[in-house]
Amino acid sequence: MRKTLISLGVLMREKRFVYMDHAATTSIKPDVAESMIPFLKEYFGNPSSLYSIGREGKEAIETAREQLAKALGAKPDEIYFTSGGTESDNWAIKGTAFSRQKKGKHIITTSIEHHAVLYPCEYLEGQGFDVTYLPVDRYGLVDPAEVEAALKEDTILISVMYANNEIGTIEPIQEIGKVAKEHDVLFHTDAMQVIGAVQLDMKQKHKDVDMLSLSSHKFYGPKGIGALFLKEGTQIDNFMHGGGQERGKRAGTENVAGIVGMGKAIELATANIEEHNEIIIKMRDRLLSGVLEIPNCRLNGHPEKRLPGNLNFSFEFVEGESLLLMLDQMGICSSTGSACSSGSLETSHVLRAIGLPPEIAQGSLRLTLGDANSKEDIDYVLDVLPETVGKLRNMSPFYNPGSVCEK
Amino acid sequence: MRKTLISLGVLMREKRFVYMDHAATTSIKPDVAESMIPFLKEYFGNPSSLYSIGREGKEAIETAREQLAKALGAKPDEIYFTSGGTESDNWAIKGTAFSRQKKGKHIITTSIEHHAVLYPCEYLEGQGFDVTYLPVDRYGLVDPAEVEAALKEDTILISVMYANNEIGTIEPIQEIGKVAKEHDVLFHTDAMQVIGAVQLDMKQKHKDVDMLSLSSHKFYGPKGIGALFLKEGTQIDNFMHGGGQERGKRAGTENVAGIVGMGKAIELATANIEEHNEIIIKMRDRLLSGVLEIPNCRLNGHPEKRLPGNLNFSFEFVEGESLLLMLDQMGICSSTGSACSSGSLETSHVLRAIGLPPEIAQGSLRLTLGDANSKEDIDYVLDVLPETVGKLRNMSPFYNPGSVCEK
Amino acid sequence: MYNKKVMDHFMNPRNVGEIENADGIGEAGNPHGDYMKIFLKIRDDRIEDVKFKTFGCAAAIASSSMATELIKGKTLNEAWELTNEAVAEALEGLPPGKLECSVVSREAIHNAINDHRKKQGLETLEE
Amino acid sequence: MYNKKVMDHFMNPRNVGEIENADGIGEAGNPHGDYMKIFLKIRDDRIEDVKFKTFGCAAAIASSSMATELIKGKTLNEAWELTNEAVAEALEGLPPGKLECSVVSREAIHNAINDHRKKQGLETLEE
Ligand SMILES: Cc1ncc(COP(=O)(O)O)c(C=O)c1O
Ligand SMILES: Cc1ncc(COP(=O)(O)O)c(C=O)c1O
């Protein structure tokens, strides 16, 4: 690798490539990519075919189904492959809604869900459904008691994400599941962010979860492939109608290579969750305390109940997109909830939901750690970030160094 | 390759692997697979990210969009990536239906569509929509006059496949498009089977087509990726709700590798359609006349208006699944519309729609030619097939050699 | 889809053919379109020889082959008691949804036995 | 997303800072949250020096930088006529949806010119 010297003002330093956006997507592990290649180059038969050459594909799909089932503590029959997290969410929500509209039209979800949950809900509102978007506290926590209080006679679905992708807050899924079960309402959770970070067990710990969505590219698998866990006996409408694939529940010729890759990826991601988390948390804690030394900076999300790899900061007097782009120039990949970054007029709905005033939400920076990171990455970010924030603050009309209270 | 000697009765011959099921799926071309690999191994950034490392993915997606647009004679802005043909069909049909239900609830389609069209229509019937399934003639042709006659005040959509996947009949898409246009009804066509076989031109020849579905694995691209052509200005409901991908019309992190592969595949598949068809038709015609020498055998579908690679036969006194499996033992991959093969009680809905009596439909065999085939494959099939049919007929209680009228 | 045993009985079916002047002939079909015709040579209430012809899928053909093997040499009573499950078991299993295709063998055997009883002036047996 | 020119003006913005005892000071914001403050040093109706401070995205910062470059040395009349489009063009284009972010520069310049006019006892100009 060529070494590049880069300057962001006075100091010259060696540029380093630091990927800290693992919540957005992850790289494919080499073993995962290798597992896929035979299904691109060699085994091309249609898994639905009767003759022998479709069989490698069919068998590979069933192996992947077992790998997913094992990782979730579920039965292979409860796993359905989809084209990604978005499809899984759409299916769970619309499939439940349309299948139960005679029974009721009320859905409970939260104001901090991913758009893959929020927009299907909004769409359903247009179709005559009634959706309650529960508020969260300032840490992003949903209160199970509020879920219970929101229940109506005609509630058919509760959908609460397992952990938030922006601020990392982990929700009380078991408690909410209990509420759902007690009132005989289906419970769906968007678990995109937790595979490989939280040990799942659909038979025991998560026995009250009826549907769970996951997406391969969040755990070092390929993009465009995901799954829906649909608990045995749970009947919802199909979303993708057509051929008899996936035991008649999800039509469409299977993305065999993608399914194989996801199977391998989940096996690797869940092989040693605790040890993996320990490493990530160690890096995260050092990064956290280092960043908090920058004045007028705060951590968003829950201080403890959060994903191991997630840090979400707000820097006063700084706009997030600028910060992100300057960090990118220094080789650091990050994310922000600022309005400008999304092309919309509003800052992230999650940051608004936890009550951040717009100017604080504007200065948000998400750093999500993962397999790509090392101690050296943390050092580099801690070296570059304060200077970058400083440079932008010096450009800001709101910033008055005198007014900044040193911590 | 090890040579295997194989016997199906008396004769011993060298076993040959002959893939003649190109309508089911195709192998990925080496150049296509190669184009995908960097997006599995190297460029993993999320195309929606603001920083530089997502850009390779973003740019690669736009290149693929241009490749598709060029192949279809469309604008890049009219191409939307999906998870395959089934999703494209579902989106076009349900998206149109839900977006126009205030205007009307009547849909016209045909009795020979793929299940990816039929089952969304059936689903919509359950949601209060009214669907006309037009009959076809004995060759599988839809009559544009019947389409016109079926129109009602509240017709919102006409969906007729470009060419049938089982019997290969090519429908009068331009004439049906004219009817749709004259009555200001949206027109969708399932074009899975025609990419690389028919030259498309959405601006001229197919200017009356508002929506067109395609699927990459039918033209030597990867599985689990497809596209919907949505004519400029055509407003239909989204099907996959969530993030802002695909200009806000199809949410979900993009299957970058799949999209790249499909782009390359369509470029290759449409580079020289005429020359390619010539080769295929030459092989097909020899296979056709050879097979028709078997007594009590007929060709299904239209004699001329058919896909270059498609042959669909019915052999009296023979059941299709048995024939398929015996051919598989001889190395030949084929397909059948027999009841047993589908696990259902009924023979193929297409063969029923063209009026085949059940016992004739039971004995159907589809051979679809493509890039994998050579003259030697034709020789081999012509060598093996008569004997195989003979073996099964000798086992059949219905077969009475005396009653067979020699041709 | 099919296991090795099924494929063997499908590719190399035993007892295919007809018996001239058979002592009992039975036919049976199912809604899939599978159809079997069976011919029994009977001596002293025992099935001395058996042949069949079947139109149908691999499951139907393999079941026919296996069923004829299982009843060959058996008494008519024993043959009557043969179940689809026993045939499927002897084939080491059939894919889900394919058990139906093996039903024709049992029915054809029953019909052949009753044909034989009729020829003998005996009353026919009920299922 | 942004072109090289924009990135250059964003990473190395010209004319950042404040002018003590400026002859005209103007501020402007937009609904995205972008905010610019501009300082003019004016002599003989001409902009002798200009500085700015901007809170905002890369488009806002780069536009601020480019706008100040474009009006430096110009007469107040010329500066008043500067459009967002001219700024965007000088930047060789802004991504779709980002033109909005460059609006603040023009507004801030107008406000600064009017501030100067007020100080001079002149009536303010209308947009
Ligand atoms: C005519 C037709 N329509 C739809 C489909 C479904 O496409 P896919 O398998 O890519 O979902 C197919 C192929 O399976 C087809 O041949
Ligand atoms: C919480 C959450 N839900 C849903 C999604 C959508 O998943 P996908 O991009 O695989 O469609 C994502 C990621 O993008 C996510 O983080």
Side-chain angles (χ1 to χ4, degrees):
Chain A
M1 220 164 85
R2 206 155 51 89
K3 290 187 182 174
T4 319
L5 284 183
I6 192 152
S7 147
L8 189 84
V10 215
L11 285 170
M12 288 293 278
R13 53 171 65 77
E14 205 175 291
K15 184 172 171 177
R16 185 181 173 85
F17 177 69
V18 175
Y19 185 74
M20 281 205 185
D21 203 16
H22 289 81
T25 197
T26 55
S27 63
I28 302 184
K29 284 185 185 153
D31 283 359
V32 171
E34 285 315 320
S35 74
M36 298 171 68
I37 288 174
F39 294 90
L40 298 177
K41 297 200 167 166
E42 205 173 330
Y43 307 126
F44 70 94
N46 193 318
S48 299
S49 294
L50 291 175
Y51 43 74
S52 357
I53 77 136
R55 272 176 223 158
E56 297 91 354
K58 176 118 202 71
E59 278 162 23
I61 290 173
E62 297 316 316
T63 301
R65 201 185 305 286
E66 279 161 28
Q67 287 166 321
L68 266 86
K70 182 151 177 261
L72 301 187
K75 297 183 189 166
D77 275 1
E78 297 174 318
I79 306 294
Y80 298 90
F81 296 116
T82 68
S83 67
T86 297
E87 185 185 332
S88 299
D89 283 346
N90 273 261
W91 181 11
I93 290 164
K94 295 183 204 162
T96 301
F98 285 118
S99 70
R100 284 174 174 54
Q101 51 185 323
K102 292 228 172 70
K103 198 179 154 229
K105 293 200 145 198
H106 181 237
I107 294 168
I108 298 173
T109 186
T110 82
S111 50
I112 60 162
E113 298 298 311
H114 191 272
H115 287 146
V117 167
L118 288 180
Y119 289 161
C121 286
E122 281 183 20
Y123 182 71
L124 288 172
E125 288 186 277
Q127 303 284 329
F129 287 82
D130 166 24
V131 183
T132 300
Y133 301 91
L134 290 178
V136 294
D137 72 8
R138 67 198 187 102
Y139 297 120
L141 279 177
V142 177
D143 182 351
E146 289 196 40
V147 176
E148 182 146 31
L151 284 164
K152 299 188 195 178
E153 264 300 293
D154 67 335
T155 306
I156 50 172
L157 174 67
I158 297 169
S159 178
V160 177
M161 70 201 311
Y162 203 119
N164 183 271
N165 48 306
E166 292 190 36
I167 54 174
T169 303
I170 299 177
E171 303 298 341
I173 290 307
Q174 285 168 269
E175 288 79 354
I176 297 169
K178 242 180 97 190
V179 170
K181 193 79 155 215
E182 276 166 17
H183 294 83
D184 203 22
V185 171
L186 282 192
F187 180 40
H188 166 252
T189 188
D190 171 335
M192 306 311 160
Q193 294 290 332
V194 307
I195 308 298
V198 176
Q199 182 71 56
L200 298 181
D201 184 350
M202 308 317 292
K203 281 206 210 77
Q204 302 284 328
K205 190 170 143 203
H206 301 99
K207 64 178 190 318
D208 297 335
V209 173
D210 301 297
M211 296 171 276
L212 179 142
S213 312
L214 56 85
S215 178
S216 151
H217 73 98
K218 305 288 186 188
F219 49 87
Y220 310 95
K223 296 179 185 15
I225 190 79
L228 182 66
F229 159 86
L230 191 61
K231 202 223 244 7
E232 210 170 21
T234 310
Q235 291 294 341
I236 64 171
D237 274 8
N238 284 1
F239 179 58
M240 207 75 87
H241 293 89
Q245 293 90 351
E246 297 294 286
R247 290 148 283 146
K249 288 207 194 289
R250 199 283 188 182
T253 299
E254 299 90 338
N255 176 353
V256 184
I259 289 171
V260 167
M262 176 165 63
K264 187 79 197 158
I266 206 165
E267 184 179 284
L268 297 175
T270 56
N272 208 336
I273 294 179
E274 264 184 50
E275 205 169 290
H276 183 258
N277 280 347
E278 249 174 59
I279 298 167
I280 300 282
I281 288 176
K282 209 164 182 175
M283 287 195 285
R284 180 203 58 190
D285 286 348
R286 217 164 63 77
L287 183 58
L288 174 61
S289 59
V291 171
L292 285 180
E293 281 178 21
I294 300 174
N296 293 52
C297 147
R298 54 167 283 180
L299 177 71
N300 298 316
H302 197 280
E304 283 109 39
K305 294 175 187 165
R306 70 186 304 135
L307 292 170
N310 177 292
L311 287 174
N312 189 309
F313 299 102
S314 277
F315 298 96
E316 280 183 67
F317 320 120
V318 168
E319 193 278 331
E321 194 214 72
S322 286
L323 184 54
L324 178 151
L325 287 174
M326 281 205 178
L327 291 176
D328 180 36
Q329 293 293 311
M330 301 298 290
I332 301 167
C333 299
S334 64
S335 171
T336 173
S338 94
C340 273
S341 69
S342 65
S344 81
L345 278 182
E346 294 191 314
T347 51
S348 138
H349 65 283
V350 176
L351 300 182
R352 275 182 286 138
I354 59 171
L356 289 197
E359 68 278 12
I360 303 296
Q362 275 292 75
S364 84
L365 180 77
R366 181 183 73 178
L367 298 170
T368 43
L369 306 182
D371 281 9
N373 300 127
S374 64
K375 235 178 103 325
E376 287 69 32
D377 290 350
I378 308 294
D379 294 337
Y380 184 71
V381 172
L382 287 178
D383 185 21
V384 167
L385 184 60
E387 199 180 325
T388 312
V389 170
K391 185 177 167 183
L392 282 165
R393 283 183 175 169
N394 282 330
M395 233 186 270
S396 169
F398 302 136
Y399 182 63
N400 179 347
S403 80
V404 170
C405 43
E406 295 290 334
K407 282 188 229 183
Chain B
M1 219 164 86
R2 211 153 49 88
K3 291 185 182 172
T4 319
L5 285 181
I6 191 152
S7 147
L8 189 82
V10 212
L11 285 171
M12 288 293 278
R13 53 169 66 77
E14 202 175 291
K15 184 172 172 179
R16 187 180 172 85
F17 177 70
V18 174
Y19 186 74
M20 281 207 187
D21 202 17
H22 288 81
T25 197
T26 55
S27 63
I28 301 184
K29 285 184 185 155
D31 282 359
V32 171
E34 284 314 318
S35 74
M36 297 171 69
I37 288 173
F39 294 91
L40 297 177
K41 296 198 167 168
E42 205 173 331
Y43 306 127
F44 70 94
N46 193 318
S48 298
S49 293
L50 291 175
Y51 42 76
S52 357
I53 76 138
R55 272 174 223 159
E56 297 90 354
K58 176 118 203 72
E59 279 163 23
I61 289 173
E62 296 316 316
T63 302
R65 201 185 306 286
E66 280 161 29
Q67 287 166 322
L68 266 86
K70 185 153 175 262
L72 300 187
K75 296 183 190 166
D77 275 2
E78 297 175 317
I79 307 294
Y80 297 90
F81 295 117
T82 68
S83 65
T86 298
E87 184 185 333
S88 299
D89 284 345
N90 273 260
W91 181 11
I93 290 164
K94 295 184 206 163
T96 301
F98 285 119
S99 70
R100 282 173 175 58
Q101 51 185 325
K102 292 231 170 71
K103 201 180 152 226
K105 293 201 145 196
H106 181 236
I107 294 169
I108 298 172
T109 187
T110 82
S111 49
I112 61 161
E113 298 299 311
H114 190 272
H115 287 146
V117 167
L118 288 181
Y119 289 161
C121 285
E122 281 183 20
Y123 182 71
L124 288 172
E125 288 186 277
Q127 303 284 327
F129 287 81
D130 167 23
V131 183
T132 300
Y133 300 91
L134 290 177
V136 293
D137 72 8
R138 68 198 187 100
Y139 298 120
L141 278 176
V142 177
D143 183 351
E146 288 196 43
V147 175
E148 184 149 30
L151 283 164
K152 299 188 195 177
E153 264 300 292
D154 67 335
T155 306
I156 50 172
L157 174 67
I158 297 169
S159 179
V160 178
M161 70 200 316
Y162 203 119
N164 183 271
N165 48 305
E166 292 189 35
I167 56 175
T169 303
I170 298 177
E171 303 298 341
I173 289 307
Q174 284 168 267
E175 288 79 353
I176 297 170
K178 242 179 98 190
V179 170
K181 193 79 156 214
E182 276 166 17
H183 294 84
D184 203 22
V185 171
L186 282 192
F187 181 39
H188 166 252
T189 188
D190 172 336
M192 305 313 159
Q193 293 290 333
V194 307
I195 307 299
V198 177
Q199 181 71 57
L200 298 182
D201 184 351
M202 309 315 292
K203 281 205 209 75
Q204 303 283 328
K205 190 170 144 204
H206 301 100
K207 63 179 189 318
D208 297 335
V209 174
D210 301 297
M211 295 172 278
L212 180 142
S213 312
L214 55 84
S215 178
S216 152
H217 73 98
K218 305 289 185 186
F219 49 87
Y220 310 95
K223 296 181 187 10
I225 190 80
L228 182 67
F229 159 86
L230 191 62
K231 203 223 246 358
E232 211 170 18
T234 311
Q235 292 293 341
I236 64 170
D237 274 7
N238 285 0
F239 178 58
M240 207 74 87
H241 293 91
Q245 293 91 350
E246 296 295 287
R247 289 148 285 143
K249 288 207 194 290
R250 200 282 188 183
T253 298
E254 299 90 339
N255 176 351
V256 183
I259 290 171
V260 167
M262 175 164 66
K264 187 79 198 161
I266 205 164
E267 184 179 283
L268 298 174
T270 56
N272 209 336
I273 293 179
E274 265 183 48
E275 206 168 288
H276 183 256
N277 280 348
E278 250 175 57
I279 299 168
I280 300 283
I281 288 175
K282 211 165 183 174
M283 289 194 285
R284 183 208 50 194
D285 286 348
R286 217 166 62 77
L287 183 59
L288 174 62
S289 58
V291 171
L292 285 181
E293 284 177 20
I294 299 174
N296 294 51
C297 146
R298 53 167 285 179
L299 178 70
N300 299 317
H302 198 280
E304 283 110 39
K305 293 176 187 164
R306 71 185 304 133
L307 291 170
N310 176 292
L311 288 174
N312 189 309
F313 299 103
S314 278
F315 298 97
E316 280 182 69
F317 321 120
V318 167
E319 193 279 331
E321 194 214 73
S322 284
L323 183 53
L324 179 151
L325 287 175
M326 281 207 178
L327 291 176
D328 180 34
Q329 293 294 311
M330 302 299 289
I332 301 168
C333 300
S334 64
S335 171
T336 174
S338 92
C340 273
S341 70
S342 65
S344 81
L345 278 183
E346 295 191 312
T347 52
S348 139
H349 64 283
V350 176
L351 300 181
R352 275 182 285 140
I354 59 172
L356 289 197
E359 67 278 13
I360 303 296
Q362 274 293 75
S364 83
L365 180 77
R366 181 183 73 178
L367 298 170
T368 43
L369 307 182
D371 281 10
N373 299 126
S374 65
K375 236 177 103 321
E376 288 70 33
D377 289 349
I378 309 293
D379 294 338
Y380 184 72
V381 172
L382 286 178
D383 184 20
V384 166
L385 184 59
E387 197 180 327
T388 312
V389 169
K391 181 175 170 184
L392 282 166
R393 282 182 176 168
N394 282 331
M395 232 185 271
S396 170
F398 303 136
Y399 182 61
N400 179 348
S403 80
V404 169
C405 43
E406 294 290 333
K407 283 189 228 180
Chain C
M1 182 166 77
Y2 293 114
N3 68 39
K4 273 195 178 159
K5 190 114 187 195
V6 175
M7 283 308 289
D8 175 38
H9 276 265
F10 164 61
M11 290 301 289
N12 311 293
R14 331 300 197 242
N15 311 312
V16 172
E18 306 191 358
I19 296 177
E20 265 180 76
N21 307 318
D23 302 311
I25 298 181
E27 307 191 18
N30 71 11
H32 293 247
D34 298 316
Y35 201 89
M36 183 187 190
K37 193 166 178 183
I38 196 167
F39 305 82
L40 303 180
K41 183 97 221 147
I42 295 165
R43 178 175 303 187
D44 298 339
D45 238 36
R46 203 171 274 280
I47 297 172
E48 203 183 63
D49 196 13
V50 49
K51 295 270 182 209
F52 79 92
K53 285 205 156 182
T54 291
F55 169 93
C57 65
I61 291 174
S63 303
S64 302
S65 165
M66 181 53 85
T68 53
E69 284 286 275
L70 288 173
I71 62 171
K72 207 189 234 172
K74 294 279 155 58
T75 66
L76 289 179
N77 274 348
E78 285 167 341
W80 182 272
E81 298 301 332
L82 183 73
T83 62
N84 316 317
E85 290 73 20
V87 174
E89 210 173 285
L91 285 168
E92 291 165 14
L94 285 170
K98 285 290 188 177
L99 210 62
E100 178 79 15
C101 307
S102 69
V103 176
V104 290
S105 323
R106 192 188 43 125
E107 282 182 18
I109 292 169
H110 284 191
N111 290 339
I113 292 175
N114 275 332
D115 177 51
H116 172 66
R117 292 177 68 91
K118 264 192 260 170
K119 282 178 182 156
Q120 305 239 306
L122 296 170
E123 63 187 319
T124 58
L125 300 172
E126 298 288 315
E127 290 289 321
Chain D
M1 179 167 78
Y2 293 114
N3 67 38
K4 272 197 179 159
K5 190 112 183 196
V6 176
M7 283 307 288
D8 175 38
H9 276 267
F10 164 60
M11 289 301 290
N12 311 295
R14 331 302 196 240
N15 310 310
V16 173
E18 306 191 359
I19 297 176
E20 265 181 74
N21 306 318
D23 301 311
I25 299 180
E27 308 190 18
N30 71 11
H32 293 246
D34 299 315
Y35 202 88
M36 181 185 190
K37 192 166 178 184
I38 196 167
F39 305 83
L40 304 179
K41 183 96 222 152
I42 297 163
R43 180 176 301 189
D44 299 338
D45 238 35
R46 202 170 275 280
I47 297 171
E48 203 184 62
D49 196 13
V50 50
K51 295 274 182 206
F52 80 91
K53 286 205 156 180
T54 291
F55 169 93
C57 65
I61 291 174
S63 303
S64 302
S65 164
M66 181 54 85
T68 53
E69 283 287 275
L70 289 173
I71 62 170
K72 207 189 234 173
K74 295 278 155 58
T75 66
L76 289 180
N77 274 348
E78 287 167 340
W80 183 274
E81 298 301 333
L82 182 75
T83 63
N84 316 318
E85 289 75 19
V87 174
E89 211 173 284
L91 285 169
E92 292 165 12
L94 284 171
K98 285 291 188 178
L99 211 62
E100 177 80 17
C101 307
S102 69
V103 175
V104 290
S105 322
R106 193 187 44 125
E107 283 182 15
I109 292 169
H110 284 190
N111 290 339
I113 292 176
N114 275 333
D115 178 51
H116 173 67
R117 292 177 68 90
K118 264 192 261 169
K119 281 178 183 156
Q120 304 239 308
L122 296 170
E123 63 187 321
T124 58
L125 302 172
E126 297 289 312
E127 289 290 318

